[in-house]
Amino acid sequence: MLKLNPITSEKIWGYELWIASTHPNGPQEDFAKACGGEFPLLVKIIQANDTLSIQVHPDDAAAVKLEGPGNRGKTECWYVLDAAPDARLVYGLKENATSEQLAQAIKDNALEPYLNFVNVHKGDFIYIPAGTVHAIGGGLRLLEVQQSCDLTYRLYDWGRGREVHIEKGLAVIKNDKRKPIEQFTGSFECPYFSLEQINVRGGWSMFCSGSNPAKDTQLLYILSTNKAVIRTSSESFGKQILPEEIYAVLPGEKITVEGTAAIIRIRCK
């Protein structure tokens, strides 16, 4: 079992903490070594003090087509850890917008009428499959679970002057029917990962099965806790866990959590 230490990435809108990463742009060396080099997921904490750019990510096929062999797409999800009373985000486009209309609106700095704005609250869950236009609004702190990919096509940046990627961005948009935003139900799965909330009241144990660390390693994100401890089967005493910590449990390991805690278990698919 590894307690993973975050890698901080400062942004003009706030910051990111890469809390479980083997990605070349921000790898945790001990985690990469334990996984045999690469883990297919990337987990972040996003602190948005201001609104992020309007952006979209490619799927696996588009990533290879546009960026070359060896690239993967970026499907992701967000769990809202904290939200200001008026916090909102962009979740897809309004219906019937054509690529030509979007390109002209971007050129005219008038994309807002085409964007689907949604208010969100602490505990909400949002699924962002590759191809979904999105933006995190200011006043939000999120847990983000995604494919291990750092490809972002910025469509619109609120006049901040950063580079945009209009041609590639418009090419990968999929304005599919969106899942309703609601409080996290306790479990979620998509073709790339699954999340499960474990509410520990006294004690809970798990065994990490499998034999391939690059695929079978499981992540335990501490959502909240009240003097709970975690230990492996080889340890007599536990280590106290704190909110927003994350632990990697390797294949063949059994761990026990004692006390009171809410944990998000993250697994590859």
Side-chain angles (χ1 to χ4, degrees):
M1 179 181 68
L2 290 175
K3 176 181 177 295
L4 303 182
N5 296 313
I7 296 170
T8 303
S9 177
E10 299 289 345
K11 304 290 185 179
I12 64 171
W13 42 260
Y15 62 86
E16 293 180 345
L17 301 176
W18 290 28
I19 61 174
S21 171
T22 63
H23 193 280
N25 291 351
Q28 295 158 311
E29 299 297 343
D30 56 347
F31 184 39
K33 183 178 180 181
C35 291
E38 183 184 25
F39 190 66
L41 303 181
L42 172 59
V43 184
K44 304 176 184 177
I45 301 294
I46 296 178
Q47 176 61 47
N49 301 324
D50 196 2
T51 302
L52 279 68
S53 62
I54 305 297
Q55 54 191 242
V56 64
H57 308 299
D59 61 15
D60 292 336
V64 172
K65 180 180 179 180
L66 295 173
E67 306 297 338
N71 284 283
R72 60 162 61 99
K74 185 178 176 183
T75 283
E76 60 190 345
C77 67
W78 301 327
Y79 183 108
V80 180
L81 300 173
D82 200 11
D86 58 349
R88 64 178 188 167
L89 48 81
V90 173
Y91 185 42
L93 298 169
K94 293 181 179 177
E95 300 298 328
N96 302 320
T98 67
S99 293
E100 292 76 16
Q101 288 174 319
L102 294 174
Q104 187 63 47
I106 293 169
K107 181 179 178 181
D108 295 340
N109 288 318
L111 188 60
E112 287 91 333
Y114 295 96
L115 303 175
N116 184 47
F117 289 91
V118 182
N119 289 93
V120 291
H121 309 87
K122 182 177 180 178
D124 279 346
F125 182 82
I126 305 97
Y127 176 50
I128 310 288
T132 305
V133 173
H134 61 278
I136 300 168
L140 285 168
R141 189 172 182 85
L142 309 175
L143 169 68
E144 179 177 276
V145 179
Q146 59 163 90
Q147 292 178 265
S148 183
C149 168
D150 203 23
L151 289 175
T152 295
Y153 298 143
R154 191 182 294 127
L155 292 169
Y156 189 70
D157 199 32
W158 315 103
R160 287 185 285 213
R162 292 185 295 172
E163 181 184 7
V164 292
H165 316 90
I166 299 172
E167 184 176 347
K168 288 182 177 180
L170 293 176
V172 304
I173 290 175
K174 298 178 183 179
N175 199 29
D176 298 336
K177 185 176 181 181
R178 296 172 293 274
K179 292 181 179 293
I181 295 177
E182 58 187 7
Q183 291 280 292
F184 187 55
T185 60
S187 64
F188 170 80
E189 63 179 80
C190 71
Y192 301 100
F193 50 78
S194 68
L195 283 73
E196 177 187 9
Q197 182 164 332
I198 310 295
N199 296 313
V200 182
R201 299 293 183 267
W204 171 75
S205 296
M206 62 154 281
F207 176 76
C208 185
S209 60
S211 58
N212 182 359
K215 178 178 178 293
D216 299 324
T217 294
Q218 298 185 29
L219 301 173
L220 301 180
Y221 172 80
I222 311 304
L223 192 60
S224 64
T225 180
N226 183 14
K227 296 182 179 179
V229 298
I230 190 170
R231 61 179 174 83
T232 66
S233 56
S234 62
E235 296 173 315
S236 300
F237 299 97
K239 303 169 186 176
Q240 187 170 348
I241 56 177
L242 298 172
E244 297 198 359
E245 290 181 339
I246 192 165
Y247 293 83
V249 184
L250 303 176
E253 289 187 322
K254 179 181 179 181
I255 64 96
T256 298
V257 178
E258 298 171 345
T260 300
I263 298 170
I264 301 292
R265 178 160 63 171
I266 301 164
R267 288 180 275 192
C268 303
K269 294 295 289 294

